[in-house]
Amino acid sequence: MNVSPRSSDSVSLGLNTYHDIIKAPAVDPLTGLCSKEQFFLLAKDFDRKHPLEGVDAIVLNYNKFHLINELYGRKFGDKVLCAIADCVSETAKEHGGIACRYDADKFYMYIKHQKSYEFLIHQVSDKLAHMMKTPDIRVRIGIYPDLFKDATIEQRFDRAMQACNSITKGHATCYEIYDSKMHEKEMFEARLLDSIGSAFAENQFSLAFQPKYNVHGNLPKLTSAEVLIRWKHPEFGLVKPDFFIPLFEENGLIRQLDRYVWRKAAAQIRRWKDELGYSIPVSVNVSRVDIFDPDIIDYLKQLIKDYDIETGDLHLEITETAYTDNVEQIVSVVKELQREGFMVEMDDFGKGYSSINMLTNLPLDALKLDIGFIKDITENNKGKNLLGCILEIAKLLNLTVIAEGVENSKQYFLLKNAGCDEIQGFYFSKPLASTEFRNLLASEA
């Protein structure tokens, strides 16, 4: 599988010339690499004519390439893409393969099977760093080694992309190989997605309520709760939210899940009011997708009307990272929600891109400190000092501060003495089923 230098005149792969496939081969106009359409035609034809030869699918992605365009301009960004194309083309040629620019900053290689992939770091990452005169090259490489061609060419590159996307900041290397664990995860995700329709229809999802306590005064007082979602799958048992919620987000299903939770929460508030004569507010998650939904305000107002509850009964938790995307629109929506009487909490503060400027400019009623922010706080350390600063600023801005993930008395008293308003976590209670929480409400009355 030997590739000639990039050319718009012909493309050859060793034993075969593919003029019978494409008389005038298409190329990517920026880099001169073959187009993705041509690339797949050549790869499929090679598989047909060489069924016993192992070939690897490789995806190379320049992480956060958009920052290069924003910092240095599109012309410089185009030069970087051409430099990557040169590296990819040369590497593919040396290893008997073909390459293409698939999309934006993603490049594909289809090369003879390799026993080791360390060469990719030197032939692509190091070479590119030398070309660009900087060692700070954020390249991720995903590899799907296929010796038996048990998947289509498209599936192989999808799996190589999955391996590429699994590379996080903490990875020791810049490449990852698709393996049996990834395949099992992929199949598990596919089966979960396939069963979502029945999950909603059969009420496999249920709500749990984690109590929040106001800690001013001598005795903590139950004042609200956070709604958590649980999925009891008939085949897989309890599926963890930190697994299926990102899956829903990636596949465009989070809006459906959120609205399901909002409606169930509103119905539960109504039941508690009917049974006990009163209730306390509950907080529900609002994703970034929800915020950009044009009918979110009308939907929430109708929900309140349907169950004859108050807007103050339903608090809205918007994750901190949602505020970093299209800030003007988010601010506009949140302000309107507040005008309607909804209380808005910033969830996961301290997890992502928190800044003091963010707090002063965004419409908020409460600030919820991320669990990671709480875990390492001890007396006289930097975390404790930073907590004190945040609490002071929150007071100036009339924000309620809520701490989650509090597990022991040491954390509790430290946060209470620092001036935190509300606390939730295992120190008080694990998340409770609706019946258990009703009993807790009755006992607190």
Side-chain angles (χ1 to χ4, degrees), residues 57-59 142-144 155-164:
I58 298 174
V59 170
I143 303 155
Y144 179 73
Q155 286 174 329
R156 283 178 246 169
F157 277 99
D158 285 346
R159 292 170 181 177
M161 179 60 72
Q162 185 179 335
C164 181

Side-chain angles (χ1 to χ4, degrees), residues 52-303:
L52 299 180
E53 185 161 356
V55 189
D56 297 338
I58 298 174
V59 170
L60 183 143
N61 173 231
Y62 195 111
N63 194 30
K64 296 186 178 179
F65 179 79
H66 66 280
L67 294 178
I68 289 181
N69 284 333
E70 291 178 16
L71 292 172
Y72 305 110
R74 189 165 295 278
K75 284 188 178 179
F76 182 79
D78 287 348
K79 287 182 180 179
V80 173
L81 290 174
C82 289
I84 297 173
D86 287 334
C87 289
V88 167
S89 177
E90 187 176 336
T91 300
K93 182 181 177 183
E94 288 178 12
H95 296 278
I98 55 175
C100 79
R101 178 188 176 212
Y102 181 77
D103 180 33
D105 59 337
K106 295 183 181 68
F107 293 80
Y108 283 9
M109 287 186 283
Y110 198 51
I111 65 175
K112 289 182 178 179
H113 176 65
Q114 307 293 312
K115 291 183 179 179
S116 172
Y117 301 95
E118 291 295 325
F119 73 90
L120 285 172
I121 297 173
H122 304 295
Q123 291 193 331
V124 177
S125 297
D126 293 353
K127 198 175 292 184
L128 187 58
H130 178 73
M131 282 183 178
M132 294 179 62
K133 312 298 183 187
T134 174
D136 186 25
I137 301 298
R138 296 181 290 273
V139 173
R140 299 182 301 170
I141 302 169
I143 303 155
Y144 179 73
D146 191 78
L147 296 174
F148 307 105
K149 297 183 176 60
D150 61 345
T152 67
I153 188 73
E154 289 84 3
Q155 286 174 329
R156 283 178 246 169
F157 277 99
D158 285 346
R159 292 170 181 177
M161 179 60 72
Q162 185 179 335
C164 181
N165 291 338
S166 73
I167 300 171
T168 59
K169 190 176 180 180
H171 264 63
T173 65
C174 64
Y175 74 88
E176 190 67 64
I177 300 171
Y178 185 93
D179 57 16
S180 58
K181 286 185 179 179
M182 286 188 188
H183 185 67
E184 288 170 8
K185 181 175 180 285
E186 183 183 26
M187 292 298 101
F188 180 55
E189 289 176 348
R191 292 176 71 182
L192 283 181
L193 289 171
D194 192 51
S195 64
I196 283 172
S198 58
F200 283 115
E202 297 169 7
N203 288 315
Q204 294 172 17
F205 295 105
S206 62
L207 303 189
F209 301 84
Q210 182 152 47
K212 297 180 186 178
Y213 284 83
N214 184 302
V215 294
H216 294 302
N218 294 327
L219 294 174
K221 183 179 179 182
L222 178 63
T223 52
S224 60
E226 179 185 6
V227 174
L228 304 171
I229 185 74
R230 298 288 183 259
W231 186 1
K232 190 173 183 181
H233 195 280
E235 181 181 356
F236 303 121
L238 197 62
V239 184
K240 292 184 178 179
D242 56 3
F243 184 88
F244 71 79
I245 289 177
L247 185 65
F248 276 54
E249 290 173 337
E250 291 168 11
N251 291 274
L253 296 162
I254 195 66
R255 177 180 179 272
Q256 185 181 359
L257 181 66
D258 285 345
R259 293 195 173 199
Y260 178 92
V261 171
W262 300 346
R263 188 160 289 279
K264 288 287 186 181
Q268 186 61 68
I269 293 169
R270 180 69 264 160
R271 279 195 293 273
W272 287 332
K273 284 193 171 185
D274 291 340
E275 293 171 3
L276 301 173
Y278 77 102
S279 66
I280 61 173
V282 299
S283 303
V284 294
N285 285 319
V286 178
S287 71
R288 179 165 27 192
V289 173
D290 298 321
I291 289 292
F292 292 119
D293 197 324
D295 76 337
I296 179 176
I297 294 168
D298 289 338
Y299 183 87
L300 286 168
K301 286 169 63 178
Q302 186 61 48
L303 190 66

Side-chain angles (χ1 to χ4, degrees), residues 323-334:
Y323 283 97
T324 63
D325 187 12
N326 200 337
V327 175
E328 287 185 8
Q329 183 174 347
I330 289 176
V331 167
S332 174
V333 173
V334 170

Side-chain angles (χ1 to χ4, degrees), residues 7 10-11 18 21-22 24-28 32-44 98-100:
S7 169
S10 65
V11 178
Y18 289 87
I21 303 174
I22 304 173
V27 297
D28 173 55
L33 291 176
C34 65
S35 68
K36 59 185 178 184
E37 293 82 8
Q38 180 192 21
F39 176 85
F40 280 107
L41 282 170
L42 296 175
K44 288 175 181 178
I98 55 175
C100 79

